[in-house]
C-alpha cells in the first residue's frame, strides 16, 4: 500500500495486537484522534476501554493551550469519556510545569500572551502572572514622547494561541524579553494552524510566537509538541521507558515528530489533518512506524498472517 | 580609532570631500539620519544644500510604511526641508511599485495588514485593496461550525507595521495566502523595532510579518531594506550605476546591508540606533566602508593629510 519503496516508509497497521502488546503506554493527541472539533470520532470509547482492559496506561496530550487540564477534563466528560485530569497534558500545563521544573522564582512574574488555560495553570502552580485575555482591550497612544511602561519583575513571557492578540501585547512582551535581564521566552507551541471550529483551519499559536520572534529576534523555548519537554516529563513522572510508549496522532510535524524525538513508537491516524496522499508525498520527510484510518481500527485489526 | 584590526573594519570618515567626489548619488535613511522622531538632526539642512550645490542627486529611503510618499513630503516640509515627493522612497511605495513591476492584475485585489500609507500608494498605483486600519475593529466569533469567508480575488497580501494588528487580520491574511492559488506574500520590511515615539523602541513590522510566517509557513518577498528591490528600482529609474551611490544610514542590518547588497559605498552615522561600541563589537559582522557621528560632519571634514 505504501507508494514509497524506501525501507523507512510508514507501514499500514496490520497487526494491532502485536503493536498493543509491544508497549505499556499510549499517548494520544486529542483533536483529529479522539475528537474533531466538538464531535467524538467513531469507536473511541470502545477502543479506550479495550486498551484499559489490557492494562495499558493512557495519556492525552494536546498543544491547545486555551484550556487548563481541569477544563479539558470537562470536555472529555461532556463527550462521555472517562478520563481523569492526571491523564491530560495540555501545553498550558506544560508551560507551568516547565517553570516549576527550573524553579522559576515565585517572586518573579510571568507575562502571558494567550488565553485562560495558561492563566489557570500558572495559578495552580503558584506563579504570579499578568496579561492574558484582559490585555486584549488595551490600546497604545502614540503621543510624542510616549513610552509604554512594563513590569521589571517579569522574568518569563509565555506565548500561546490568543484570539485577543493585539499590538499592545506584542509590545509589552517585546519590552519584557528585550529589556528585563534574563527574561525567558516560552512558547506553548508553534502550530501553524489549529481547529478553533470544525469548519475551517485557523491561524495557530505559531502566529503569536512568530510575532514575538520578529520583534525580539529571539527563538522561544517550546514546551509543547514536537519538543520533548512533555515526553521527558511524562516518562519521569510515571517512570516509563520511552521505547515502551506508542505516540498516536494525526499530524506529522507535531505528533509523529514528537514521538520520534522522544524515541517512541509512532502511529499516524488519518482521521485528522493528514491524508494518505500527504503521508506518501515525496515532499514529506516524516514517516511514522505505522498508519491507520482511526484508532478504533485497533478493535478490528487482529493478528494477520504474514 | 577602530578596535578591530581586520582590514574589513569600518574606517572613521576623515576625508568627506573625497567620498563626495567619488559618487553621484547619496541615498539617506531618514530616522536617525535626517531626524529623530519629530526633531531634525543638527546641521542637516546645510549639509543637504551643500550636496545639492555640488550637483549630487539625493534620495531618501525609509522602511516605515505607515505613510505614503506624499505624507512623507509633508513631514520634510514641516521640518523645513525642501525635498520633493519624487526623491522619497518609502516601503509603502515600494510595495505598490513592486506589484506594478510584475504587472499584478488590476482585476485582482490586495489584502493589507498595515496602515494608511500602503493603502494610499496602492490607490495611486491603481490597485484594488481591502483590509488596512479598518479591520482593526473586527472580531471573530467562534461558534461551532463558524468559518471566516475571504475574498477569492485576493492575489497578494501586503504586510507592514500595523498598530491596529489583531487576530482577525492574521486569519484573513492566512486564508488568502494558504487558500488562494498563487497568492503573493509581500512584506514592506522585517524591522524588529521601530521609532513610533522618540522615547522608546517599539515592536516593528517584523512582528506582523513574523505572525504571518508562523501561520502560513511561507517566507515573504521583502520590498524594503535590506532587500535590493528599492535599490534596483532607483538605479533603473534614474539610470545610476550602483558603484556611484553612497548609502548613508544608522542601522547595520538594514541600511548598511542594503547598501552592501546593492554594491554601493556605505557610510554609517552614529546619530541613530547604532553606537560605536555596537559597530566595533566582535558580535557585529556588518562593517560599512566608513562611519561618522552625523551627516553634518560632511561640512567640517575636509581633505586630511594622509
Amino acid at each position: 500500500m505504501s507508494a514509497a519503496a524506501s525501507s523507512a516508509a510508514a507501514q499500514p497497521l496490520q497487526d494491532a495486537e502485536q503493536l498493543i502488546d509491544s508497549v505499556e503506554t499510549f499517548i494520544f493527541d486529542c483533536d483529529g484522534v479522539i475528537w474533531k472539533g466538538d464531535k467524538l470520532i467513531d469507536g473511541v470509547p470502545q477502543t479506550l476501554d479495550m486498551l484499559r482492559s489490557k492494562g495499558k496506561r493512557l495519556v492525552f496530550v494536546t498543544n491547545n493551550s486555551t484550556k487548563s487540564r481541569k477544563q479539558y477534563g470537562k470536555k472529555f466528560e461532556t463527550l462521555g469519556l472517562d478520563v481523569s485530569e492526571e491523564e491530560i497534558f495540555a501545553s498550558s500545563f506544560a508551560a507551568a510545569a516547565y517553570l516549576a521544573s527550573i524553579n522559576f522564582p515565585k517572586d518573579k512574574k510571568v507575562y502571558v500572551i494567550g488565553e485562560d488555560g495558561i492563566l489557570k495553570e500558572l495559578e495552580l502552580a503558584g506563579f504570579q502572572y499578568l496579561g492574558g485575555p484582559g490585555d486584549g482591550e488595551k490600546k497604545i497612544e502614540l503621543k510624542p514622547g510616549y513610552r509604554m511602561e512594563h513590569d521589571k519583575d517579569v522574568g518569563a513571557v509565555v506565548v500561546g494561541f490568543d484570539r485577543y492578540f493585539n499590538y499592545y501585547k506584542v509590545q509589552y512582551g517585546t519590552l519584557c524579553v528585550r529589556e528585563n535581564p534574563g527574561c525567558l521566552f516560552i512558547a506553548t507551541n508553534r502550530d501553524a494552524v489549529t481547529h478553533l471550529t470544525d469548519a475551517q483551519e485557523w491561524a495557530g499559536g505559531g502566529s503569536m510566537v512568530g510575532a514575538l520572534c520578529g520583534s525580539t529576534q529571539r527563538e522561544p523555548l517550546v514546551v509543547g509538541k514536537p519538543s520533548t519537554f512533555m515526553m521527558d516529563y511524562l516518562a519521569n513522572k510515571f517512570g516509563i521507558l520511552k521505547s515502551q510508549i506508542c505516540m498516536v496522532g494525526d499530524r506529522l510535524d507535531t505528533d509523529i515528530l514528537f514521538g520520534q524525538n522522544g524515541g517512541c513508537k509512532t502511529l499516524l491516524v488519518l482521521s485528522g489533518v493528514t491524508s494518505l496522499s500527504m503521508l506518501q508525498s515525496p515532499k514529506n520527510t516524516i514517516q511514522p512506524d505505522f498508519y491507520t484510518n482511526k484508532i478504533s481500527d485497533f478493535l478490528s485489526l487482529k493478528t494477520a498472517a504474514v
Side-chain angles (χ1 to χ4, degrees), chain A:
Chain A
M1 276 181 74
S2 172
S6 153
S7 62
Q11 296 298 311
L13 183 66
Q14 291 182 321
D15 189 340
E17 273 189 24
Q18 192 181 56
L19 174 62
I20 294 166
D21 289 346
S22 73
V23 297
E24 182 189 64
T25 298
F26 281 89
I27 302 181
F28 292 102
D29 171 49
C30 298
D31 200 34
V33 179
I34 304 298
W35 58 65
K36 255 195 131 160
D38 287 323
K39 279 182 203 150
L40 201 60
I41 290 173
D42 278 353
V44 164
Q46 299 87 326
T47 310
L48 301 183
D49 287 349
M50 179 273 285
L51 292 171
R52 287 195 200 277
S53 75
K54 285 178 175 281
K56 304 298 166 183
R57 184 194 315 277
L58 308 185
V59 172
F60 301 86
V61 166
T62 173
N63 265 0
N64 189 326
S65 63
T66 63
K67 295 187 173 76
S68 65
R69 294 176 98 172
K70 197 183 184 81
Q71 290 166 316
Y72 262 107
K74 283 191 190 134
K75 174 150 186 175
F76 280 94
E77 198 181 311
T78 307
L79 292 171
L81 295 172
D82 186 22
V83 167
S84 78
E85 268 180 52
E86 285 65 37
E87 293 173 311
I88 302 167
F89 291 82
S91 65
S92 50
F93 172 79
Y98 175 76
L99 290 169
S101 77
I102 59 164
N103 294 314
F104 183 77
K106 297 282 164 97
D107 60 345
K108 287 276 185 183
K109 295 174 191 166
V110 181
Y111 183 69
V112 179
I113 297 179
E115 302 202 2
D116 195 42
I118 301 173
L119 305 185
K120 288 223 160 40
E121 293 294 354
L122 290 172
E123 193 161 322
L124 274 172
F127 294 115
Q128 299 183 66
Y129 60 85
L130 62 163
D135 280 359
E137 296 300 319
K138 293 188 181 165
K139 290 188 163 52
I140 56 160
E141 285 180 275
L142 293 175
K143 294 173 294 194
Y146 176 74
R147 51 182 292 125
M148 181 192 278
E149 298 299 333
H150 74 283
D151 192 325
K152 301 293 188 292
D153 289 333
V154 170
V157 174
V158 172
V159 183
F161 176 81
D162 187 346
R163 78 196 72 184
Y164 314 105
F165 194 48
N166 63 7
Y167 184 69
Y168 178 94
K169 297 185 185 191
V170 174
Q171 173 65 359
Y172 200 103
T174 301
L175 286 172
C176 295
V177 171
R178 284 171 58 99
E179 299 189 7
N180 290 1
C183 183
L184 303 171
F185 172 20
I186 296 168
T188 60
N189 70 81
R190 299 189 77 162
D191 293 356
V193 291
T194 184
H195 288 95
L196 292 187
T197 67
D198 47 9
Q200 188 169 56
E201 289 190 330
W202 294 81
S207 53
M208 291 79 205
V209 175
L212 266 277
C213 292
S215 54
T216 62
Q217 297 186 308
R218 286 255 303 266
E219 286 297 302
L221 186 140
V222 181
V223 295
K225 297 175 287 185
S227 120
T228 55
F229 172 74
M230 277 205 282
M231 189 72 81
D232 295 339
Y233 183 91
L234 288 167
N236 272 334
K237 182 179 171 77
F238 295 125
I240 332 171
L241 281 176
K242 289 179 191 166
S243 58
Q244 287 284 310
I245 298 174
C246 180
M247 173 68 209
V248 184
D250 72 321
R251 289 191 195 217
L252 294 163
D253 61 349
T254 50
D255 301 322
I256 300 306
L257 198 57
F258 174 64
Q260 290 178 340
N261 287 345
C264 309
K265 290 194 172 67
T266 54
L267 171 66
L268 177 78
V269 287
L270 303 174
S271 49
V273 299
T274 307
S275 64
L276 186 58
S277 62
M278 287 158 74
L279 169 66
Q280 294 178 340
S281 158
K283 285 189 200 158
N284 170 39
T285 57
I286 302 168
Q287 294 289 336
D289 295 317
F290 303 103
Y291 67 89
T292 196
N293 286 322
K294 53 190 187 303
I295 65 168
S296 61
D297 292 345
F298 278 179
L299 300 171
S300 54
L301 291 167
K302 301 289 175 186
T303 308
V306 185

